[in-house]
Amino acid sequence: MSTGESDGGEGLLRSIVPPAQVEQVFDFCDAHAWKLLLAVVVVGALPPLLGLRQGYYMTVISEMYLFAILALSWDIVGGQTGYPSFGNMAFFGIGAYTTAILTKDFAVAFPVAMVAAGLLAVAFAGVIGAAVLRLRGHYFAIATLGVLLAAQQVSRIIDITGGASGKILLDVPPGTVFYYLFFGVLVAEMAVVYYLSNTRFGFILNAIRDDEEKATAMGFNTAYHKTAAWMLAALFTGLAGGGYSLFNTFINPQTAYNGAWNVELIAMALLGGSGTVAGPVIGAFGLHTVIEYVETAFVGWQLVMLGLVVVVTVIEFPEGFVGTLREYAGEMEYYKRGGMAAVEDEEVSSDE
């Protein structure tokens, strides 16, 4: 398609801001990615130091970090590798129950329980991944959903989890601990994903996403790389779940394997731009802010809003916010290389 044509969200962008400015922003971000991440660390560390220690806003910001972790974790497999998982909340629930059981029933220190939560989620992903990652497309998606439902049911019927009643956790750290915990895990995950995306490992994941058969024919061990990506996603999701059980002070099968969250984290990644580092984070911040507002102002309409966001995203911004911006900014490179759009513009100018 020539760049003279516009469609969906890209057409809207073109009417607001020229592609040259968008391209400059991306060039700057690419050149100074690690410095920008350091700036994020500094800015993110400030709110509690400036007096935001407890209350509603502290909780909302902490939840934003939590959802950003979940969305970026999903994107490691769903966006970078091209395997759309509907079972990531299984890792979250395993992490949540691990910390709840260890801290309440065995008096294990919270940091140790958190590490155990992440490792157990990774081990579970390794075992399950050996089976489900043999599937592709909608078969894989349905299989991962089955894993989630099975994990939820097991947690409901065994005694150590508290069954359907769950566990109440009263001896928990203050809110600032969870703020820095979720923020720290998010920054670490962003750094890891960004680093890997510029290595051979990341390139192979993208090759699997684009054409797995060709990637296999080129000699890449696709089974290993898919499983490694799945386990990496499980690690960060398990850590997020491990912090959430104490953050929420209560855990049961519904909260540990939240079905609505399972949809939200996917919508966040798609809205922000799957296959990127910043996209799922931006999508998580934006969508959670909207959901929080709707839950406050229009009680009961949050799922309706979520459905509308998904529909609008798929129709107008199929590449997500960041993906659409990158495609839009790519027009400048097309012009510079003398693409058809440049030729057409020259012909128009000569006619005039």
Side-chain angles (χ1 to χ4, degrees), residues 66 69-70 92 95-96 114 182 185 235-245:
L66 173 67
I69 296 168
L70 298 179
F92 184 88
M114 275 281 296
F182 294 139
V185 172
L235 172 63
F236 289 107
T237 306
L239 289 173
Y244 178 76
S245 58

Side-chain angles (χ1 to χ4, degrees), residues 170-191:
L170 299 178
D171 186 14
V172 299
T176 51
V177 170
F178 296 105
Y179 175 94
Y180 284 120
L181 171 66
F182 294 139
F183 178 65
V185 172
L186 174 60
V187 170
E189 183 175 26
M190 291 176 66

Side-chain angles (χ1 to χ4, degrees), residues 5-20:
E5 300 175 9
S6 65
D7 109 289
E10 190 175 328
L12 177 62
L13 282 171
R14 186 175 289 105
S15 66
I16 298 174
V17 59

Side-chain angles (χ1 to χ4, degrees), residues 264-342:
E264 285 179 28
L265 65 91
I266 298 174
M268 289 168 176
L270 297 178
L271 177 63
S274 64
T276 66
V277 179
V281 177
I282 294 173
F285 285 7
L287 186 55
H288 185 66
T289 299
V290 174
I291 290 175
E292 193 66 29
Y293 171 75
V294 172
E295 285 182 342
T296 303
F298 306 98
V299 179
W301 287 87
Q302 57 268 27
L303 291 180
V304 175
M305 183 279 306
L306 178 61
L308 290 175
V309 167
V310 172
V311 172
V312 172
T313 299
V314 171
I315 295 175
E316 295 294 333
F317 298 93
E319 301 298 323
F321 177 74
V322 174
T324 300
L325 285 178
R326 278 200 176 278
E327 184 177 331
Y328 179 57
E331 292 184 5
M332 289 309 299
E333 187 64 25
Y334 187 75
Y335 277 109
K336 291 175 183 177
R337 294 179 180 273
M340 285 302 297

Side-chain angles (χ1 to χ4, degrees), residues 136-320:
R136 298 184 186 180
H138 55 279
Y139 295 107
F140 172 79
I142 293 174
T144 55
L145 179 60
V147 170
L148 171 61
L149 296 176
Q152 184 182 50
Q153 185 61 26
V154 169
S155 298
R156 182 177 286 113
I157 61 179
I158 61 178
D159 293 333
I160 196 170
T161 62
S165 300
K167 286 182 175 292
I168 298 175
L169 308 163
L170 299 178
D171 186 14
V172 299
T176 51
V177 170
F178 296 105
Y179 175 94
Y180 284 120
L181 171 66
F182 294 139
F183 178 65
V185 172
L186 174 60
V187 170
E189 183 175 26
M190 291 176 66
V192 169
V193 174
Y194 176 74
Y195 171 76
L196 291 177
S197 66
N198 291 286
T199 64
R200 185 174 184 271
F201 181 84
F203 296 148
I204 293 174
L205 293 187
N206 293 165
I208 293 172
R209 176 191 63 199
D210 297 336
D211 194 324
E212 186 171 351
E213 292 182 356
K214 287 184 179 179
T216 302
M218 292 173 66
F220 298 137
N221 188 341
T222 57
Y224 164 78
H225 286 85
K226 289 186 298 184
T227 304
W230 179 253
M231 294 171 71
L232 182 63
L235 172 63
F236 289 107
T237 306
L239 289 173
Y244 178 76
S245 58
L246 272 70
F247 173 70
N248 193 53
T249 69
F250 173 72
I251 197 73
N252 70 355
Q254 285 70 39
T255 56
Y257 307 97
N258 194 312
W261 284 18
N262 200 44
V263 177
E264 285 179 28
L265 65 91
I266 298 174
M268 289 168 176
L270 297 178
L271 177 63
S274 64
T276 66
V277 179
V281 177
I282 294 173
F285 285 7
L287 186 55
H288 185 66
T289 299
V290 174
I291 290 175
E292 193 66 29
Y293 171 75
V294 172
E295 285 182 342
T296 303
F298 306 98
V299 179
W301 287 87
Q302 57 268 27
L303 291 180
V304 175
M305 183 279 306
L306 178 61
L308 290 175
V309 167
V310 172
V311 172
V312 172
T313 299
V314 171
I315 295 175
E316 295 294 333
F317 298 93
E319 301 298 323

Side-chain angles (χ1 to χ4, degrees), residues 70-137:
L70 298 179
L72 187 55
S73 297
W74 179 88
D75 195 67
I76 295 173
V77 176
Q80 298 286 350
T81 315
Y83 273 69
S85 169
F86 281 85
N88 274 34
M89 285 300 291
F91 307 138
F92 184 88
I94 288 170
Y97 272 115
T98 299
T99 53
I101 293 169
L102 290 179
T103 55
K104 182 171 184 177
D105 298 345
F106 299 96
V108 175
F110 177 48
V112 177
M114 275 281 296
V115 173
L119 294 178
L120 189 58
V122 169
F124 179 76
V127 173
I128 297 299
V132 298
L133 288 170
R134 297 176 182 271
L135 305 173
R136 298 184 186 180

